[in-house]
Amino acid sequence: VRIDGARPLYLAAGDAFTFTAEVRDGGGNTVSNAVLDWSCTSLSPNFGTITPAGQFMAGHPLAAQVDGTVKVRVALNGIVIGGDGIHVIVHR
């Protein structure tokens, strides 16, 4: 699995961004029935939030910029089979 988009991703405070990920098997074929579980982490309480569908809403940092990670876990038939993370920087 790989999260689509630039690395790192730069966003302004209040920006919305929808993350997507591509899941492929060992042969390079798209796995269409994989379930994606999105989350985000940061040491800053004002980094942002993400929905289960991958919609990220950048927060309003107190510092000039804050950073964190948006992660996706991939499950197939209820078993986690992989994941990816992307560094996100939010600035005022």
Side-chain angles (χ1 to χ4, degrees):
V1 63
R2 179 159 170 85
I3 297 173
D4 300 323
R7 293 170 185 257
L9 178 64
Y10 292 88
L11 296 171
D15 280 357
F17 185 86
T18 301
F19 284 93
T20 57
E22 187 173 59
V23 181
R24 296 192 174 268
D25 64 17
N29 302 305
T30 300
V31 178
S32 59
N33 58 337
V35 176
L36 305 178
D37 178 28
W38 295 95
S39 64
C40 63
T41 59
S42 175
L43 295 178
S44 171
N46 299 321
F47 172 62
T49 59
I50 195 161
T51 69
Q55 177 75 31
F56 181 79
M57 178 60 72
H60 294 275
L62 299 177
Q65 73 178 32
V66 296
D67 67 330
T69 304
V70 169
K71 298 178 182 178
V72 63
R73 287 187 325 165
V74 179
L76 190 59
N77 299 322
I79 300 170
V80 175
I81 60 168
D84 191 17
I86 186 169
H87 185 202
V88 177
I89 299 167
V90 176
H91 61 89
R92 297 192 269 196

